[in-house]
Amino acid sequence: MSVLEINDLHVEFRLEQGTVKPVNGVSLSVEAGQTLAVVGESGSGKTATALSVLRLHPSPPCVYTGGEILAGGRDLLRLPERELRAIRGNEIAMVFQDPMTSLNPLKTIGAQIAESLRLHRDVSRSEARAKAVEALREVGIPNPAQRAGEYPHQFSGGMRQRAMIAMALACRPKVLIADEPTTALDVTVQAQIMELLAGLQERFGMAIVLITHDLGVVARCADRVLVMYGGRPVELASVDALFDDPRMPYTRALLDSMPRSDVPGGAPLDPIPGSPPNLFAPPSGCAFHPRCSRALPECAQRAPALVEKAPGHSAACVLEGSL
């Protein structure tokens, strides 16, 4: 059973320069204990979709123009703000890309975790403090009682990300949205953070929506993958099916642009030509057709819907068969 479900979500930013549609007909679902990765180039709509789940876009300019976001039988797009605040950080939590801009530099790490606990749980200050220390211990921070009294600038990048995860998981959410959680970290720390998330997921049974552009992380950590391009979903499949049998040229191009470790001496990279679409003036038809080596005349005429090409494997493309 899905703990989070998005159906045909449409989001607009109405700006002075014009209207932008960063999320255009996105649907996804994730079950307890499952990891859904959302991938694509910068500007594809990954983070815009993630922020929409908890209505974190500033309004104005953001307007939610269609669709629904379901969690626990409620449509989060239609909840009053007071009820939504009770869900943020409690039932659904989020870890952001840059912990230095997400953590308050004027408060200790422990105080920030305790603040979240007291907001959502009926606990005293001392209980919240003890739970904050335990949360830091759970994410592998050494000397958690001491580190709880320190400030964000006293933590390394990897430790700050662990602290953000501790804060997100302190209230035992059913869904964790992790937005590029390893982007600013070195490779060794990236692996540690992803291993930490996997261990905590197994322990608490939460669902994870992993926003990333790193297909290597996807291959190691995800169960299912949603590929986005130009604000639209273009492929949805299990991780094995997506890597073994991509059904959309954009997905094939993403895979071909990955560094290869299984080829002696490596393999030459095959970058995707051109640039992602300008959302102020998106191309007609399939947004990828100006960059697609297999585009047909009809690709410029209409944007194909996401349809099932094989059992459990959907793609938005007029082409049939493997690529």
Side-chain angles (χ1 to χ4, degrees):
M1 181 178 178
S2 298
V3 291
L4 175 66
E5 184 175 342
I6 300 176
N7 295 315
D8 197 27
L9 179 64
H10 292 259
V11 180
E12 294 183 358
F13 290 160
R14 297 174 181 174
L15 308 168
E16 291 183 5
Q17 310 95 298
T19 297
V20 175
K21 298 179 179 180
V23 182
N24 200 352
V26 172
S27 297
L28 60 85
S29 65
V30 61
E31 299 177 2
Q34 185 183 71
T35 297
L36 171 70
V38 183
V39 305
E41 295 169 284
S42 297
S44 63
K46 309 184 301 297
T47 295
T49 299
L51 293 173
S52 297
V53 171
L54 293 173
R55 286 181 10 214
L56 293 177
H57 294 296
S59 180
C62 176
V63 180
Y64 300 95
T65 56
E68 58 184 8
I69 301 173
L70 304 176
R74 298 153 298 181
D75 185 353
L76 304 187
L77 290 182
R78 290 160 181 80
L79 282 185
E81 180 64 25
R82 180 178 60 82
E83 293 182 33
L84 189 61
R85 282 199 299 269
I87 293 173
R88 293 186 187 124
N90 185 28
E91 296 181 33
I92 303 175
M94 191 162 181
V95 175
F96 297 92
Q97 290 187 40
D98 184 2
M100 273 306 280
T101 60
S102 304
L103 293 167
N104 187 335
L106 302 179
K107 289 187 176 182
T108 65
I109 294 293
Q112 294 182 63
I113 299 174
E115 183 178 37
S116 175
L117 284 161
R118 296 200 71 206
L119 178 65
H120 296 295
R121 297 286 186 269
D122 183 18
V123 294
S124 66
R125 289 183 182 274
S126 60
E127 289 174 323
R129 164 76 182 188
K131 288 180 179 293
V133 172
E134 179 59 27
L136 292 175
R137 181 177 290 109
E138 287 175 344
V139 298
I141 290 182
N143 304 315
Q146 175 188 329
R147 301 309 296 267
E150 297 179 356
Y151 292 85
H153 73 272
Q154 295 174 280
F155 280 52
S156 67
M159 288 295 105
R160 283 194 292 268
Q161 195 62 283
R162 287 174 183 265
M164 280 292 299
I165 294 169
M167 190 181 305
L169 299 186
C171 293
R172 302 294 186 257
K174 295 178 181 178
V175 181
L176 176 68
I177 301 172
D179 184 12
E180 302 276 12
T182 62
T183 295
L185 307 175
D186 64 49
V187 174
T188 301
V189 179
Q190 285 182 16
Q192 292 172 353
I193 293 297
M194 295 313 301
E195 185 177 339
L196 169 65
L197 285 176
L200 293 170
Q201 179 183 42
E202 183 176 358
R203 180 176 176 184
F204 300 129
M206 64 186 174
I208 295 179
V209 179
L210 176 64
I211 311 298
T212 184
H213 63 273
D214 189 332
L215 292 176
V217 169
V218 172
R220 293 191 301 272
C221 303
D223 299 300
R224 296 168 62 239
V225 189
L226 175 68
V227 183
M228 292 188 64
Y229 186 80
R232 292 180 178 273
V234 295
E235 189 156 3
L236 176 63
S238 70
V239 67
D240 290 337
L242 189 94
F243 278 78
D244 294 341
D245 187 23
R247 296 299 184 97
M248 204 281 178
Y250 177 61
T251 307
R252 175 79 273 169
L254 282 178
L255 295 173
D256 288 344
S257 66
M258 285 178 60
R260 297 283 299 275
S261 60
D262 59 334
V263 177
L269 299 182
D270 188 8
I272 305 173
S275 301
N278 177 0
L279 295 184
F280 282 106
S284 61
C286 173
F288 187 59
H289 87 264
R291 306 170 72 188
C292 181
S293 62
R294 302 189 61 177
L296 302 173
E298 63 185 289
C299 297
Q301 305 302 316
R302 63 181 181 88
L306 193 70
V307 297
E308 193 168 69
K309 302 285 188 177
H313 192 155
S314 301
C317 186
V318 300
L319 299 174
E320 297 294 337
S322 302
L323 301 179

